[in-house]
Amino acid sequence: MISFLLCLAILIGGYFVYGKIVDNTFGPDDRETPAVRINDGVDYVVMPQWKLFLVQLLNIAGLGPIFGALQGALWGPVVFLWITFGTIFAGGVHDYFSGMMSERNDGGSIAEITGKYLGPVMQNVMRVFSVVLLIMVGTVFAVGPAGLIVTLCKNNGMSGVLATTLFWLIIILVYYFIATFISIDAVIGKIYPIFGICLIIMAVGVIFGIFTNPAYTIPEIWEHFGSMHPSGTPIWSFMFITVACGAISGFHSTQSPLMARCMKSEKQGHFVFYGAMVCEGIIALIWAAAGCSLYEITGGLNTGLAAALAEGQSAAIYDVCSKTMGGVGIALAMIGVVVCPITSGDTAFRSARLTLADWFKIDQDSYANRLKLCIPVLGVGAFLGIGNALGFINYTVIWRYFSWTNQTLAMIVLWAASMYLFQEKKNYWITAVPATFMSAVSATYFILAPECLGSLLNSKTAEGATIYNTAVAYPVGVIFAIAMLAIFLHATKKRTAKNA
C-alpha cells in the first residue's frame, strides 16, 4: 500500500511541478482563442473551465484507464511505475501539446497539425490514419455497449426486440448522429460532465472499498518488482502498449482539438489538458491497485486476475465494483460499462467529421455541410456495426492492431510537438525524450506482438507457451529509437542552416 500511496502523491505533485514546467515551456498568453475569434455556435463554442476539464476527461478516458489498468495489473505492482511516470513525462506532455498546438492553429485537427510540422507526406498519412482509426473506435464503442445492454435485458427476463443487439445498435447510432451533428454544448457539453463525475466517483469508491476491507492488501513494488504475468508475457514492451489510456494514448490527440475549440483562454490548457491526463492516470492507478489486490496470487503470478479477465473485461469491472462497493458499486459499474464507451464513441465520430472538414476545407457552420460529412462517416460506422451484429463482418482481427497503432500515433504527435518547440526556439527535449522512448516501445512491440511480426519470429514450447524473440526485438527497438532521434536532430540542423 505504501508504494501505491507514493505513486499517487507523485502523480498529484507531477501536475503542480512538471505540469507547470510543461506549461511554461509552451508559454500560454492572452491572445484571442479560436473559440472567441471563430465562434460558430457548433464546434467553436466557449465553455467554462470546469466543464472543459470534465468533458476532456471523459473524451480521453471512457473505460480506457479501467480496461488497460486491469490488464496491466497482470504484470503486478510494477505497472504503478509506468502509470505514474508515463502520465507525468509522456501522457500529460502529449495531451497538453496536442491540445495547445491545435489552439495555436485555429483548433485544427491533429492530422493538420502534424502535417504543418512534419511535412505534407506525414499529413496525408495522418489524415487517412486518423479517420480510419476514429471510425473504428466509434463503431466498436457502439457494438460493445449494445451487446452489454442486451445481456442486461436478458438477465432481467426481457425478450423480443428489446433483447436484440441490432435494436440497441441502431438506437446508439442514432444518438451518435445527433451528437456528431449538433452543437458541442447541446448534448456533449451537458451530459459529459455528469458521467465524468460518475467515472471519478467509481474510482474513489473502489479505492475506499480496498482501504476499508482488511481482506484486501495492495502489494508493494519492491516485493514484486518482476513480472507476475501468468502467461510469461514480457514487461517490455507489452505492458507499455497495454496500459495506454492510463499512461499515454495517441487517441487523446484526436480528442484534444475538440476542447481546444472551446477554451476562452490559453491559460486554461494546464488544467484542461495536462490536468485531465493526470486525473486519468489516478483513475488507472486505482484500478491497477484493485487488480493487484482483489485476486488470488499463485506462485507469484496473478492467476486470479487472469481468471476474472477471462470472463470479459466488463464482467471484471462488475466484479471489482461489487466486491468494493456492494450494490452501489454494481449500479456504477453498469453506468460505466454501458455509458462510458458510448461517450468515447460519439466524440470519435465527431472528431472524424472535423478531421475530414479540415482535410477538404469544408466549413461546418451550416447544416448542409455538416450533413455532407455526418452521413458518410456514420454510414460507414453503421455498415460495419450492423454487419458485425448480423455476422457477415468480423473486424476483431483488425481491432487487435489498435493497441499498436494507438501508441504509434502518440509517438508521431510527440515528434511533431518537438519540431514545433524547435521552431519556436524552446526546449524541445521535453517532448523529444518521450518521443524517443515511445519510438522504442512501438518498434519493439511490432517485432514481438503475435498480430504483427511476432507470428513469424516467436516460437512455441511443447506445452504451447510462447517464447518471445526478445534477442531480435529489443535491439531493433533501441536502434529504431536512436534512428528517429537522429533523423529529428538532422532535420533541426537542416532548418537552422536554411534559416541562417
Side-chain angles (χ1 to χ4, degrees):
M1 186 176 293
I2 294 174
S3 53
F4 168 81
L5 292 174
L6 283 173
C7 287
L8 181 62
I10 292 171
L11 263 176
I12 295 171
Y15 167 76
F16 292 102
V17 179
Y18 197 73
K20 198 60 183 175
I21 292 173
V22 171
D23 193 43
N24 290 338
T25 299
F26 179 85
D29 54 35
D30 294 323
R31 73 183 66 192
E32 200 171 41
T33 64
V36 176
R37 186 176 67 258
I38 301 174
N39 198 319
D40 62 1
V42 181
D43 300 307
Y44 294 85
V45 179
V46 174
M47 291 198 292
Q49 180 172 273
W50 67 269
K51 188 175 287 189
L52 290 169
F53 171 82
L54 288 172
V55 173
Q56 173 72 1
L57 175 63
L58 208 55
N59 281 354
I60 65 174
L63 288 183
I66 299 176
F67 283 166
L70 283 176
Q71 292 281 356
L74 288 169
W75 281 277
V78 69
V79 72
F80 298 168
L81 296 177
W82 170 230
I83 292 171
T84 301
F85 295 106
T87 295
I88 294 171
F89 296 108
V93 175
H94 168 276
D95 288 15
Y96 179 87
F97 277 98
S98 62
M100 295 305 287
M101 286 192 300
S102 175
E103 182 78 19
R104 285 280 171 93
N105 290 275
D106 292 335
S109 62
I110 195 59
E112 305 307 308
I113 302 303
T114 302
K116 179 174 180 178
Y117 299 108
L118 296 183
V121 173
M122 186 57 69
Q123 181 180 49
N124 288 322
V125 169
M126 287 289 288
R127 283 168 170 171
V128 175
F129 184 84
S130 297
V131 172
V132 171
L133 180 67
L134 288 165
I135 292 177
M136 188 189 300
V137 170
T139 304
V140 170
F141 284 154
V143 173
L148 291 169
I149 294 172
V150 169
T151 300
L152 290 174
C153 290
K154 290 180 177 178
N155 289 344
N156 287 280
M158 297 182 185
S159 59
V161 68
L162 290 177
T164 62
T165 302
L166 183 60
F167 172 78
W168 288 107
L169 181 59
I170 292 173
I171 296 295
I172 292 171
L173 287 171
V174 169
Y175 161 73
Y176 279 179
F177 181 85
I178 295 171
T180 302
F181 181 77
I182 65 176
S183 170
I184 193 168
D185 62 343
V187 174
I188 293 174
K190 286 184 169 59
I191 66 173
Y192 269 40
I194 297 171
F195 294 125
I197 292 171
C198 287
L199 190 66
I200 295 171
I201 291 173
M202 187 160 57
V204 172
V206 166
I207 198 61
F208 182 79
I210 294 173
F211 282 169
T212 55
N213 191 328
Y216 304 137
T217 302
I218 302 174
E220 305 295 357
I221 296 172
W222 44 85
E223 293 176 358
H224 302 278
F225 191 71
S227 175
M228 298 174 67
H229 201 290
S231 301
T233 306
I235 291 176
W236 180 267
S237 61
F238 284 89
M239 187 182 75
F240 298 85
I241 292 286
T242 301
V243 186
C245 289
I248 178 173
S249 169
F251 175 70
H252 296 185
S253 67
T254 68
Q255 302 302 293
S256 293
L258 295 180
M259 291 301 96
R261 301 179 184 217
C262 299
M263 292 167 55
K264 185 177 181 180
S265 169
E266 283 193 349
K267 295 177 182 178
Q268 295 173 329
H270 176 220
F271 180 64
V272 173
F273 298 123
Y274 198 95
M277 183 61 228
V278 169
C279 186
E280 184 181 37
I282 292 171
I283 292 171
L285 187 66
I286 289 171
W287 279 91
C292 290
S293 61
L294 267 60
Y295 298 99
E296 179 185 359
I297 296 174
T298 306
L301 302 177
N302 281 331
T303 53
L305 177 58
L309 289 169
E311 299 296 320
Q313 292 176 324
S314 297
I317 292 174
Y318 183 97
D319 188 50
V320 169
C321 288
S322 63
K323 285 180 176 178
T324 55
M325 292 180 283
V328 174
I330 292 173
L332 286 171
M334 291 303 96
I335 292 174
V337 299
V338 173
V339 173
C340 286
I342 293 176
T343 57
S344 294
D346 60 6
T347 51
F349 280 120
R350 190 179 190 93
S351 295
R353 170 174 69 81
L354 293 173
T355 300
L356 288 170
D358 289 346
W359 183 354
F360 296 107
K361 305 294 187 294
I362 302 175
D363 291 334
Q364 295 295 283
D365 54 353
S366 71
Y367 291 132
N369 283 346
R370 294 203 297 278
L371 282 173
K372 289 177 184 177
L373 299 179
C374 282
I375 291 175
V377 165
L378 270 297
V380 172
F383 174 76
L384 293 173
I386 294 173
N388 182 77
L390 296 177
F392 63 83
I393 291 179
N394 186 348
Y395 51 78
T396 302
V397 175
I398 299 174
W399 182 248
R400 279 165 38 193
Y401 289 92
F402 171 73
S403 296
W404 174 74
T405 54
N406 184 45
Q407 299 301 61
T408 302
L409 177 59
M411 173 196 79
I412 295 170
V413 171
L414 284 169
W415 283 123
S418 301
M419 189 56 71
Y420 164 81
L421 288 172
F422 167 75
Q423 292 184 8
E424 295 293 316
K425 296 181 174 56
K426 296 178 179 178
N427 177 22
Y428 55 75
W429 289 108
I430 205 168
T431 51
V433 170
T436 304
F437 180 84
M438 292 309 298
S439 297
V441 168
S442 181
T444 305
Y445 184 84
F446 187 78
I447 301 297
L448 287 178
E451 62 267 25
C452 300
L453 293 184
S455 60
L456 301 175
L457 299 176
N458 299 333
S459 57
K460 296 279 188 179
T461 64
E463 294 77 22
T466 301
I467 301 176
Y468 294 95
N469 196 339
T470 56
V472 172
Y474 289 179
V476 168
V478 172
I479 291 170
F480 180 78
I482 293 172
M484 290 295 290
L485 178 60
I487 291 170
F488 168 74
L489 293 175
H490 178 68
T492 60
K493 289 181 180 179
K494 283 183 65 176
R495 295 200 180 194
T496 300
K498 183 179 179 180
N499 295 330

